[in-house]
Every structure is written in structure tokens, then in C-alpha cells.
Amino acid sequence: LVNETAQQVEKRIKEQNKPDQLLTRKEVCEMIGITLSTLWRWDNMNILKPVRIGNKVRYRHSDVKLSLKERN
């Protein structure tokens, strides 16, 4: 019983400390309800800053939420 409780607490701590989720362009577009061309334009206007990993482009979930709050 104590072991199970310790595992549950450990799981909650890991969930709270997990790193920011990276989203694809498609996921961001679906999340916000915009097109890929709008997302590309927002990149150029520095509204959203992408994270480039090799040839892949990703967006931090927290950056997307923050950008939406600032625009509203």
C-alpha cells in the first residue's frame, strides 16, 4: 500500500515537471484554427517563434498559448 502511494506521488511529480510539449505546424494550425499560410506569416512577423530541430519545425505549447493570450 505504501509502495503504491509512493508510485502515485512520483507519477504526479513527473507529470508536473515534464518539459514543454513541442507541436507540429499541423497541430498548431488545428489548435488555433488557422491555415499553414497564416502560420508562416506569423513566423515572419515574429508572432510565433518556431523551434528548429534539424530540418523540422516545432512550436512550444506554452508559446502558442501565450501568443493567443497576448493577441486577445
Side-chain angles (χ1 to χ4, degrees):
L1 183 65
V2 172
N3 193 21
E4 288 178 339
T5 304
Q7 289 174 350
Q8 290 172 351
V9 169
E10 185 177 75
K11 182 180 177 182
R12 276 192 243 137
I13 290 171
K14 285 181 182 179
E15 287 174 357
Q16 291 173 357
N17 292 332
K18 71 179 169 183
D20 202 7
Q21 182 181 8
L22 295 177
L23 305 169
T24 64
R25 289 176 175 164
K26 183 178 178 182
E27 290 172 329
V28 172
C29 288
E30 289 173 358
M31 180 179 174
I32 316 176
I34 61 173
T35 63
L36 284 171
S37 59
T38 300
L39 183 59
W40 178 83
R41 193 171 54 247
W42 286 11
D43 287 350
N44 290 330
M45 295 170 59
N46 290 324
I47 294 172
L48 277 176
K49 294 178 181 140
V51 176
R52 302 197 190 280
I53 304 170
N55 63 347
K56 297 178 182 174
V57 177
R58 300 289 186 263
Y59 298 86
R60 286 185 186 93
H61 189 266
S62 61
D63 289 347
V64 173
K65 287 184 357 185
L66 181 64
S67 176
L68 288 175
K69 285 181 185 177
E70 290 175 356
R71 306 225 17 106
N72 289 331

